[in-house]
Amino acid sequence: METRAAEHGLAVFVVNAHGNREREDQYIGLFERYRVKGLLVASFERLEDRLAEVRRRGTPNVLIGARVVSGKQPSVSVDEVVGGRLAGEHLLSIGRRRIAFVGGPLSVQQVAGRLQGASQAVREAGTATLEVVDIAERTIRAGRAVGHRIVSRDPALRPDAVFAVNDLLAIGIMHAFVMAGVRIPQDIAVIGYDDIEYAESSIVPLSSIRTPHEDFGSVAVDLLLRNIESGAVQHEVFTPELVVRASTSGQPHS
């Protein structure tokens, strides 16, 4: 986003509300008072009504990362259901039948979409199960905690694959597995989501669902500029892709 904005002689001011809705509202109000040219807003909350008010008062904005309900709200997002389905289908294709989905809160649209896609794949397979582990955070520390809980089970009751809702969780889970002597992927395969920079160089190179980071950011800026210049309201939905690495490249342990 910064690169694309700079091409048009604009600067990007970045603030992070850390998932706090009250703080999000404060930042949006602050930028309105400073009369910024436009807003790019990424949130886990439902903000369309709030952003509609902001547009009515004269500040164009684009919602990024979430599927919109209103056709009047410019947006750029990823098809999370397709991404979740890709992850589920990949784990099934390597013979896994006891899959754990780790992520949350499930009220977050992106998390719910990824779970929906994985659930579809498992349901259609007919011979597999999907355990949902709903957690509040999506961090490496939270992943380690979940990983420790999984390895504390009797081996016969453990999943043979884990789909973590993001790469940070997946990396934490793998750390816990390796420390406990669980082999990845022979005992438990692991796949993440986002394909962050550290996925390829993690303790075991991590399979992941890749989202188009650079294109995503530039398109968001382009949509905002079009909205500023002509009032055009556009929606772009990106399709994620599967990236296979060592964390899922083996067969189930027998």
Side-chain angles (χ1 to χ4, degrees):
M1 286 189 287
E2 288 180 324
T3 300
R4 178 69 91 199
E7 291 172 0
H8 293 271
L10 300 172
V12 177
F13 296 93
V14 181
V15 292
N16 193 333
H18 298 286
N20 184 307
R21 177 59 187 268
E22 183 179 352
R23 191 178 300 171
E24 282 183 350
D25 282 340
Q26 290 171 351
Y27 283 143
I28 289 171
L30 175 68
F31 282 139
E32 273 197 280
R33 290 193 297 275
Y34 276 106
R35 299 184 180 277
V36 295
K37 202 170 186 70
L39 292 172
L40 297 166
V41 183
S43 176
F44 289 122
E45 300 286 342
R46 297 284 185 178
L47 285 183
E48 286 187 57
D49 290 344
R50 176 79 165 95
L51 295 179
E53 293 174 5
V54 172
R55 288 197 308 280
R56 282 194 293 271
R57 289 194 293 266
T59 304
N61 55 72
V62 172
L63 183 63
I64 59 177
R67 185 179 64 252
V68 293
V69 176
S70 168
K72 298 179 181 179
Q73 172 64 57
S75 68
V76 55
S77 61
V78 174
D79 193 328
E80 308 291 2
V81 177
V82 168
R85 189 181 184 92
L86 284 173
E89 288 177 344
H90 174 59
L91 295 175
L92 293 165
S93 74
I94 60 170
R96 308 307 162 113
R97 290 298 178 267
R98 301 186 312 278
I99 300 171
F101 174 89
V102 179
L106 298 181
S107 58
V108 172
Q109 183 190 111
Q110 293 89 333
V111 174
R114 295 169 196 184
L115 174 58
Q116 180 183 343
S119 298
Q120 289 175 357
V122 169
R123 186 167 56 250
E124 290 171 12
T127 57
T129 60
L130 184 69
E131 171 191 359
V132 179
V133 182
D134 184 4
I135 58 175
E137 296 182 359
R138 297 171 296 277
T139 62
I140 289 177
R141 181 173 61 181
R144 285 198 192 102
V146 171
H148 288 311
R149 292 206 302 271
I150 290 173
V151 298
S152 69
R153 301 180 188 178
D154 183 289
L157 300 178
R158 296 172 185 168
D160 60 12
V162 171
F163 171 24
V165 79
N166 72 6
D167 289 343
L168 294 179
L169 274 172
I171 289 168
I173 289 167
M174 291 197 301
H175 283 177
F177 286 176
V178 169
M179 293 297 291
V182 172
R183 298 175 302 164
I184 305 168
Q186 292 91 337
D187 299 326
I188 306 178
V190 180
I191 188 169
Y193 201 106
D194 292 328
D195 196 31
I196 62 173
E197 182 179 357
Y198 304 109
E200 189 171 10
S201 56
S202 60
I203 191 165
V204 177
L206 176 66
S207 294
S208 188
I209 303 301
R210 175 180 292 161
T211 54
H213 304 293
E214 291 184 11
D215 290 342
F216 194 88
S218 9
V219 165
V221 172
D222 290 344
L223 294 189
L224 181 60
L225 291 173
R226 289 171 199 155
N227 189 247
I228 291 168
E229 292 163 3
S230 67
V233 175
Q234 294 176 282
H235 311 280
E236 291 285 345
V237 181
F238 285 92
T239 301
E241 61 180 309
L242 171 69
V243 178
V244 178
R245 299 191 180 99
S247 68
T248 64
S249 62
Q251 295 300 315
H253 176 58
S254 58

